[in-house]
Amino acid sequence: MDTPNDLMREEKRQKVSENHDWSKLYPDLLRSILESLNSIDFHRAKTVCSDWYSIWKTCVKRPLCPWRIIYGKDSLMLFNPGEDKIYKGTNVGLSNDSYFMAGSGNWLLMVDSHLDFYIFNLLTYKRIDLPSMESSIRGGNVRFERNREHGSSEWGHFVDPCRKDCVRKDIIICRRTAVLWIDEKTGDYVVAWILNYHYLFSYKKGDDSWWNWNNHLSMESLNFSFSDLAYRNSKLYLYTTNGHIKIVDFSGNDPIEVIEKNPYWEHPFRYFSKKGEYNCKKKIAIQKSGEVLIILSALVMRSKDKILFYIFKMNLESNIWERVESIGDDEMLIFGHGVTIRAPVQEVGDDGIKSGSICFVRGDIWPTYYCSVSNCGVFDLATSIIKWPKEDEAHIFCKEDQIEEEVKCALDLVYSFCTKFGFTYQLKLLRFQTPEKHIGDLETWDRAEEALKNAIRDCGKPLLLNERDRELWKKSS
């Protein structure tokens, strides 16, 4: 049964909705609101109406950075390098049965436990389903047999005349090696992925089925497996476990291996670990110039498990791989993404990600390596310092005499959303006392705390407090 407070809040909410046309807000006010939104909501806001889109175009532009997915024990999180933040929750349209393989801008390449691949846009929720792996695979004598047994940890097997490879969730996540490229304007896209360092599959928009490349690449009697891959300028770059790099041209109707104009094939990359250093993973990335970079992640055991990244580039005159300290004034890397991306043109204070940085998630270091600071970080090549992004949080910007009313409005918003969709919620005050390090005088903090108490009392919702703050709350009431 609704309480009097519930009825009053509902009546107030309806009056606000009836008396306000949100498309007719003052341009300066709407611009301030849009620029305060997180990246997902900022880009979605332009689709609300033509008025909002007109104002959105005048806002400070935010470059679209590839997203990274971080899987917890029972949760899914999104890391946006462009905002330097982590977002929690599965309310972006991705199911718990979907697993991240690669990203391109705001598009994600996902796969489920049936080994069905699809491409998903985080902003528009558009989904593009790719052909089933159970259908005929072009170019190789290999097929996928799905496990029909319910609840089995094995998804199925890839079978060819010489071997049979199991496909499981842990193999897909721990050995995830895939690339996604998509043209936002034309809608063209290319997908490629590697299984167990052996099978290489690709799909280009318009193809009838997946391609298998194992019988089509010039092996030249070398015993190697596929370690990583990257895609840029219509070319797929394949990094092998013995340091060689192959190139496949996707610009024509059918992909063709580049042999004569591949400067990397005859000059494999070699690196020998230093004493006390453990090499974790090697990845390749392609610069906007088309040059290939090899990025090595390492743990230095003697320095309390210090994390380092090394970048190597081949000198095309001497054909020698050399370590480089910079990747350009306007380029940055996302470890495992496969290409460099444009770094922020302008940096404000310590916020944002600088050029010459490498963004990474915990799995990029080593699947069993536990980072107690955060699930992801940003490595500065110039200083070798790692910045750990903060998790997403909300802020209310207002004057002192507006605190109580603004908090009430925020609580009313939570109430209206939760009751509309049948959700329950709790109010929890993380800290009810002025911190030792604070901005402003104590009198200002006291007035703000009093306004907060009044707003919480009026909402009529029980408040969760730790034991110490519960006593402080009682004394101040």
Side-chain angles (χ1 to χ4, degrees):
M1 183 176 177
D2 292 335
T3 65
N5 282 337
D6 293 338
L7 295 174
M8 290 176 61
R9 277 197 296 268
E10 179 64 20
E11 183 179 354
K12 180 179 179 181
R13 186 185 66 81
Q14 290 178 355
K15 287 182 179 179
V16 169
S17 299
E18 293 171 357
N19 298 330
H20 288 79
D21 183 352
W22 297 103
S23 67
K24 302 301 181 184
L25 290 173
Y26 288 110
D28 289 344
L29 175 59
L30 180 56
R31 187 180 298 106
S32 298
I33 293 173
L34 296 181
E35 291 181 347
S36 69
L37 298 175
N38 62 53
S39 282
I40 292 181
D41 291 336
F42 174 74
H43 287 284
R44 285 177 180 165
K46 64 183 177 183
T47 65
V48 171
C49 64
S50 59
D51 292 322
W52 280 43
Y53 179 67
S54 298
I55 300 301
W56 180 88
K57 290 192 296 183
T58 67
C59 295
V60 176
K61 292 299 181 290
R62 306 181 191 180
L64 300 178
C65 294
W67 291 77
R68 296 301 303 269
I69 300 289
I70 306 170
Y71 287 100
K73 183 178 180 181
D74 298 308
S75 62
L76 176 150
M77 293 178 285
L78 293 165
F79 171 38
N80 179 11
E83 271 192 309
D84 200 8
K85 284 186 179 180
I86 303 170
Y87 293 90
K88 294 181 180 180
T90 57
N91 59 341
V92 294
L94 299 173
S95 68
N96 289 327
D97 188 43
S98 293
Y99 304 95
F100 171 75
M101 295 293 287
S104 176
N106 291 300
W107 291 86
L108 305 178
L109 174 63
M110 308 294 293
V111 64
D112 63 21
S113 58
H114 295 154
L115 206 63
D116 289 330
F117 286 82
Y118 64 93
I119 306 171
F120 182 81
N121 190 304
L122 280 170
L123 301 184
T124 65
Y125 292 156
K126 182 178 180 180
R127 171 172 169 151
I128 302 173
D129 291 314
L130 304 184
S132 171
M133 294 301 304
E134 292 185 274
S135 60
S136 176
I137 298 175
R138 184 180 176 187
N141 190 14
V142 61
R143 68 184 187 278
F144 176 63
E145 297 179 351
R146 183 155 63 95
N147 190 347
R148 308 288 176 178
E149 183 180 343
H150 181 70
S152 174
S153 61
E154 295 184 356
W155 295 359
H157 296 82
F158 275 102
V159 181
D160 67 24
C162 301
R163 57 189 289 165
K164 182 177 182 180
D165 285 68
C166 178
V167 182
R168 299 192 309 268
K169 172 184 172 181
D170 60 330
I171 294 176
I172 292 293
I173 293 179
C174 294
R175 302 179 188 175
R176 177 177 57 242
T177 309
V179 66
L180 166 67
W181 170 85
I182 189 164
D183 188 319
E184 295 277 2
K185 295 181 179 179
T186 65
D188 293 333
Y189 57 84
V190 173
V191 172
W193 67 287
I194 298 168
L195 176 70
N196 284 344
Y197 308 106
H198 175 71
Y199 291 110
L200 170 63
F201 300 98
S202 71
Y203 180 80
K204 180 181 178 181
K205 182 182 178 182
D207 288 347
D208 296 328
S209 62
W210 287 91
W211 272 75
N212 172 237
W213 285 91
N214 292 67
N215 296 333
H216 292 267
L217 293 174
S218 176
M219 301 296 187
E220 300 184 7
S221 302
L222 292 174
N223 183 23
F224 65 80
S225 302
F226 302 111
S227 175
D228 193 28
L229 72 176
Y231 187 93
R232 192 163 203 160
N233 299 329
S234 300
K235 291 183 175 64
L236 180 67
Y237 296 78
L238 302 167
Y239 181 58
T240 70
T241 51
N242 58 5
H244 291 271
I245 295 175
K246 282 188 168 292
I247 303 175
V248 180
D249 188 345
F250 275 73
S251 61
N253 292 329
D254 292 329
I256 301 174
E257 182 182 358
V258 177
I259 298 177
E260 294 182 0
K261 295 184 178 182
N262 180 359
Y264 302 100
W265 174 249
E266 295 182 353
H267 308 284
F269 172 75
R270 298 282 188 267
Y271 179 80
F272 300 97
S273 302
K274 301 175 184 178
K275 184 178 180 181
E277 181 181 272
Y278 184 83
N279 294 339
C280 298
K281 293 185 178 181
K282 296 188 187 77
K283 295 289 183 179
I284 64 171
I286 316 302
Q287 289 188 279
K288 61 182 181 181
S289 64
E291 294 179 278
V292 175
L293 302 176
I294 294 181
I295 306 97
L296 174 71
S297 64
L299 289 177
V300 183
M301 305 302 184
R302 63 178 182 274
S303 301
K304 297 181 179 180
D305 291 351
K306 183 178 180 180
I307 302 169
L308 292 175
F309 289 87
Y310 303 133
I311 297 181
F312 298 87
K313 180 192 291 189
M314 193 177 82
N315 186 320
L316 297 178
E317 294 182 359
S318 64
N319 295 324
I320 296 175
W321 287 93
E322 302 172 346
R323 183 179 169 187
V324 296
E325 303 293 340
S326 172
I327 54 176
D329 295 334
D330 61 345
E331 293 182 89
M332 57 173 281
L333 277 166
I334 296 180
F335 193 79
H337 178 59
V339 296
T340 58
I341 63 174
R342 182 168 63 89
V345 177
Q346 192 175 30
E347 296 153 11
V348 182
D350 294 328
D351 296 330
I353 296 176
K354 303 176 182 178
S355 59
S357 298
I358 301 176
C359 304
F360 65 93
V361 297
R362 184 172 59 187
D364 294 332
I365 307 303
W366 191 250
T368 58
Y369 178 74
Y370 177 72
C371 171
S372 59
V373 180
S374 177
N375 283 305
C376 58
V378 180
F379 181 85
D380 190 324
L381 280 170
T383 62
S384 296
I385 294 175
I386 293 177
K387 179 181 177 182
W388 304 102
K390 54 185 176 293
E391 297 189 353
D392 186 31
E393 54 189 19
H395 302 273
I396 297 176
F397 298 94
C398 62
K399 296 188 298 183
E400 183 181 329
D401 59 358
Q402 296 173 322
I403 293 176
E404 184 172 337
E405 187 62 29
E406 289 298 322
V407 173
K408 288 180 180 179
C409 289
L411 294 176
D412 285 341
L413 181 64
V414 173
Y415 169 83
S416 62
F417 270 85
C418 288
T419 54
K420 184 75 173 179
F421 295 100
F423 298 141
T424 59
Y425 67 98
Q426 293 178 318
L427 295 180
K428 183 177 181 180
L429 200 60
L430 296 181
R431 179 178 56 201
F432 182 66
Q433 54 184 335
T434 305
E436 293 182 6
K437 295 183 178 180
H438 59 273
I439 298 175
D441 53 61
L442 290 175
E443 289 76 13
T444 302
W445 276 82
D446 290 340
R447 290 193 295 270
E449 290 171 357
E450 184 66 26
L452 178 63
K453 285 192 297 181
N454 293 337
I456 293 176
R457 284 196 199 97
D458 289 347
C459 84
K461 189 77 175 176
L463 180 66
L464 298 180
L465 288 166
N466 59 44
E467 186 173 345
R468 179 181 178 182
D469 285 344
R470 193 181 303 120
E471 293 300 320
L472 291 172
W473 181 271
K474 288 180 180 178
K475 291 178 181 180
S476 62
S477 300

